[in-house]
mmCIF file of all heavy atoms in Angstrom:
data_model
loop_
_atom_site.group_PDB
_atom_site.id
_atom_site.type_symbol
_atom_site.label_atom_id
_atom_site.label_comp_id
_atom_site.label_asym_id
_atom_site.label_seq_id
_atom_site.Cartn_x
_atom_site.Cartn_y
_atom_site.Cartn_z
ATOM 1 N N GLN J 269 -2.118 14.541 -8.092
ATOM 2 C CA GLN J 269 -3.324 14.772 -7.307
ATOM 3 C C GLN J 269 -3.395 16.243 -6.907
ATOM 4 O O GLN J 269 -2.683 16.675 -5.996
ATOM 5 C CB GLN J 269 -3.331 13.882 -6.064
ATOM 6 C CG GLN J 269 -4.584 14.009 -5.219
ATOM 7 C CD GLN J 269 -4.594 13.010 -4.074
ATOM 8 O OE1 GLN J 269 -3.560 12.700 -3.485
ATOM 9 N NE2 GLN J 269 -5.773 12.502 -3.740
ATOM 10 N N LYS J 273 -8.455 16.961 -4.469
ATOM 11 C CA LYS J 273 -9.092 16.296 -5.606
ATOM 12 C C LYS J 273 -8.573 14.858 -5.761
ATOM 13 O O LYS J 273 -7.783 14.381 -4.946
ATOM 14 C CB LYS J 273 -8.840 17.103 -6.883
ATOM 15 C CG LYS J 273 -9.475 18.479 -6.841
ATOM 16 C CD LYS J 273 -9.400 19.165 -8.185
ATOM 17 C CE LYS J 273 -10.090 20.523 -8.133
ATOM 18 N NZ LYS J 273 -10.047 21.223 -9.447
ATOM 19 N N TYR J 324 3.132 11.990 -7.695
ATOM 20 C CA TYR J 324 3.615 10.721 -7.159
ATOM 21 C C TYR J 324 4.271 9.907 -8.269
ATOM 22 O O TYR J 324 3.779 9.875 -9.397
ATOM 23 C CB TYR J 324 2.459 9.887 -6.618
ATOM 24 C CG TYR J 324 1.722 10.465 -5.443
ATOM 25 C CD1 TYR J 324 0.496 11.112 -5.600
ATOM 26 C CD2 TYR J 324 2.223 10.330 -4.148
ATOM 27 C CE1 TYR J 324 -0.195 11.622 -4.510
ATOM 28 C CE2 TYR J 324 1.532 10.832 -3.049
ATOM 29 C CZ TYR J 324 0.324 11.485 -3.246
ATOM 30 O OH TYR J 324 -0.354 11.985 -2.163
ATOM 31 N N THR J 333 -4.677 -6.636 -15.560
ATOM 32 C CA THR J 333 -4.901 -5.192 -15.394
ATOM 33 C C THR J 333 -3.944 -4.721 -14.312
ATOM 34 O O THR J 333 -4.061 -5.102 -13.155
ATOM 35 C CB THR J 333 -6.347 -4.898 -14.987
ATOM 36 O OG1 THR J 333 -7.230 -5.442 -15.955
ATOM 37 C CG2 THR J 333 -6.569 -3.402 -14.871
ATOM 38 N N ASN J 334 -2.994 -3.895 -14.696
ATOM 39 C CA ASN J 334 -1.906 -3.540 -13.800
ATOM 40 C C ASN J 334 -2.361 -2.695 -12.620
ATOM 41 O O ASN J 334 -3.340 -1.958 -12.700
ATOM 42 C CB ASN J 334 -0.839 -2.778 -14.584
ATOM 43 C CG ASN J 334 -0.325 -3.555 -15.769
ATOM 44 O OD1 ASN J 334 -0.540 -4.768 -15.877
ATOM 45 N ND2 ASN J 334 0.323 -2.868 -16.683
ATOM 46 N N TRP J 335 -1.614 -2.797 -11.539
ATOM 47 C CA TRP J 335 -1.885 -1.952 -10.378
ATOM 48 C C TRP J 335 -0.598 -1.281 -9.913
ATOM 49 O O TRP J 335 0.490 -1.607 -10.395
ATOM 50 C CB TRP J 335 -2.501 -2.770 -9.247
ATOM 51 C CG TRP J 335 -1.657 -3.881 -8.704
ATOM 52 C CD1 TRP J 335 -0.703 -3.810 -7.723
ATOM 53 C CD2 TRP J 335 -1.700 -5.255 -9.099
ATOM 54 N NE1 TRP J 335 -0.157 -5.048 -7.500
ATOM 55 C CE2 TRP J 335 -0.745 -5.958 -8.317
ATOM 56 C CE3 TRP J 335 -2.463 -5.976 -10.036
ATOM 57 C CZ2 TRP J 335 -0.528 -7.329 -8.445
ATOM 58 C CZ3 TRP J 335 -2.249 -7.336 -10.162
ATOM 59 C CH2 TRP J 335 -1.298 -7.997 -9.380
ATOM 60 N N PHE J 336 -0.737 -0.305 -8.997
ATOM 61 C CA PHE J 336 0.378 0.519 -8.573
ATOM 62 C C PHE J 336 0.790 0.185 -7.140
ATOM 63 O O PHE J 336 0.023 0.356 -6.200
ATOM 64 C CB PHE J 336 0.005 2.006 -8.661
ATOM 65 C CG PHE J 336 -0.519 2.403 -10.014
ATOM 66 C CD1 PHE J 336 -1.838 2.760 -10.187
ATOM 67 C CD2 PHE J 336 0.319 2.391 -11.118
ATOM 68 C CE1 PHE J 336 -2.323 3.110 -11.441
ATOM 69 C CE2 PHE J 336 -0.152 2.740 -12.377
ATOM 70 C CZ PHE J 336 -1.479 3.097 -12.541
ATOM 71 N N TRP J 339 4.090 3.274 -3.869
ATOM 72 C CA TRP J 339 4.087 4.660 -4.303
ATOM 73 C C TRP J 339 5.198 5.410 -3.569
ATOM 74 O O TRP J 339 5.569 5.049 -2.454
ATOM 75 C CB TRP J 339 2.766 5.334 -3.950
ATOM 76 C CG TRP J 339 1.551 4.750 -4.608
ATOM 77 C CD1 TRP J 339 1.142 3.452 -4.590
ATOM 78 C CD2 TRP J 339 0.557 5.467 -5.338
ATOM 79 N NE1 TRP J 339 -0.036 3.303 -5.274
ATOM 80 C CE2 TRP J 339 -0.427 4.524 -5.743
ATOM 81 C CE3 TRP J 339 0.390 6.796 -5.694
ATOM 82 C CZ2 TRP J 339 -1.551 4.880 -6.496
ATOM 83 C CZ3 TRP J 339 -0.732 7.165 -6.437
ATOM 84 C CH2 TRP J 339 -1.687 6.204 -6.824
ATOM 85 N N GLY J 340 5.692 6.480 -4.185
ATOM 86 C CA GLY J 340 6.567 7.384 -3.471
ATOM 87 C C GLY J 340 5.722 8.231 -2.525
ATOM 88 O O GLY J 340 4.495 8.178 -2.549
ATOM 89 N N CYS M 153 -11.685 -5.695 -17.465
ATOM 90 C CA CYS M 153 -10.501 -5.183 -16.776
ATOM 91 C C CYS M 153 -10.708 -5.264 -15.261
ATOM 92 O O CYS M 153 -11.789 -4.956 -14.758
ATOM 93 C CB CYS M 153 -10.237 -3.734 -17.193
ATOM 94 S SG CYS M 153 -9.867 -3.556 -18.954
ATOM 95 N N ASP M 154 -9.652 -5.660 -14.590
ATOM 96 C CA ASP M 154 -9.731 -5.803 -13.139
ATOM 97 C C ASP M 154 -9.827 -4.442 -12.444
ATOM 98 O O ASP M 154 -9.477 -3.411 -13.014
ATOM 99 C CB ASP M 154 -8.489 -6.526 -12.611
ATOM 100 C CG ASP M 154 -8.459 -7.989 -13.007
ATOM 101 O OD1 ASP M 154 -9.532 -8.548 -13.310
ATOM 102 O OD2 ASP M 154 -7.344 -8.566 -13.025
ATOM 103 N N HIS M 156 -8.794 -2.347 -8.845
ATOM 104 C CA HIS M 156 -7.918 -2.309 -7.684
ATOM 105 C C HIS M 156 -8.356 -1.151 -6.781
ATOM 106 O O HIS M 156 -8.949 -0.173 -7.260
ATOM 107 C CB HIS M 156 -6.460 -2.114 -8.114
ATOM 108 C CG HIS M 156 -6.087 -2.921 -9.320
ATOM 109 N ND1 HIS M 156 -6.111 -4.308 -9.333
ATOM 110 C CD2 HIS M 156 -5.707 -2.531 -10.568
ATOM 111 C CE1 HIS M 156 -5.757 -4.730 -10.534
ATOM 112 N NE2 HIS M 156 -5.506 -3.679 -11.303
ATOM 113 N N TYR M 158 -7.321 1.519 -3.414
ATOM 114 C CA TYR M 158 -6.254 2.154 -2.652
ATOM 115 C C TYR M 158 -6.850 2.913 -1.473
ATOM 116 O O TYR M 158 -7.950 3.481 -1.569
ATOM 117 C CB TYR M 158 -5.454 3.139 -3.525
ATOM 118 C CG TYR M 158 -4.842 2.473 -4.736
ATOM 119 C CD1 TYR M 158 -5.580 2.337 -5.915
ATOM 120 C CD2 TYR M 158 -3.561 1.937 -4.707
ATOM 121 C CE1 TYR M 158 -5.058 1.709 -7.020
ATOM 122 C CE2 TYR M 158 -3.024 1.293 -5.814
ATOM 123 C CZ TYR M 158 -3.780 1.191 -6.963
ATOM 124 O OH TYR M 158 -3.258 0.547 -8.061
ATOM 125 N N GLN M 160 -6.025 6.058 1.108
ATOM 126 C CA GLN M 160 -5.159 7.217 1.308
ATOM 127 C C GLN M 160 -5.491 7.866 2.645
ATOM 128 O O GLN M 160 -6.504 8.556 2.786
ATOM 129 C CB GLN M 160 -5.300 8.228 0.172
ATOM 130 C CG GLN M 160 -4.318 9.385 0.282
ATOM 131 C CD GLN M 160 -4.371 10.331 -0.907
ATOM 132 O OE1 GLN M 160 -5.426 10.547 -1.510
ATOM 133 N NE2 GLN M 160 -3.224 10.895 -1.269
ATOM 134 N N ALA M 165 0.603 9.183 0.979
ATOM 135 C CA ALA M 165 0.411 8.656 -0.364
ATOM 136 C C ALA M 165 -0.592 7.500 -0.345
ATOM 137 O O ALA M 165 -0.751 6.826 0.681
ATOM 138 C CB ALA M 165 1.750 8.171 -0.914
ATOM 139 N N TYR M 209 -9.900 4.963 -3.228
ATOM 140 C CA TYR M 209 -9.957 5.127 -4.678
ATOM 141 C C TYR M 209 -9.987 3.772 -5.370
ATOM 142 O O TYR M 209 -9.227 2.871 -5.007
ATOM 143 C CB TYR M 209 -8.740 5.897 -5.184
ATOM 144 C CG TYR M 209 -8.691 7.336 -4.751
ATOM 145 C CD1 TYR M 209 -8.059 7.710 -3.565
ATOM 146 C CD2 TYR M 209 -9.270 8.339 -5.527
ATOM 147 C CE1 TYR M 209 -8.013 9.026 -3.164
ATOM 148 C CE2 TYR M 209 -9.228 9.667 -5.136
ATOM 149 C CZ TYR M 209 -8.601 9.998 -3.955
ATOM 150 O OH TYR M 209 -8.555 11.321 -3.562
ATOM 151 N N GLN M 211 -9.412 1.841 -9.157
ATOM 152 C CA GLN M 211 -8.578 2.027 -10.352
ATOM 153 C C GLN M 211 -8.770 0.845 -11.283
ATOM 154 O O GLN M 211 -8.894 -0.297 -10.835
ATOM 155 C CB GLN M 211 -7.101 2.153 -9.962
ATOM 156 C CG GLN M 211 -6.126 2.237 -11.134
ATOM 157 C CD GLN M 211 -5.201 1.047 -11.214
ATOM 158 O OE1 GLN M 211 -4.735 0.524 -10.206
ATOM 159 N NE2 GLN M 211 -4.916 0.603 -12.413
#
Side-chain angles (χ1 to χ4, degrees):
Chain J
Q269 183 175 36
K273 296 189 178 181
Y324 296 101
T333 303
N334 304 345
W335 61 86
F336 307 112
W339 297 54
Chain M
C153 297
D154 290 338
H156 319 297
Y158 302 86
Q160 185 175 33
Y209 293 90
Q211 175 245 322

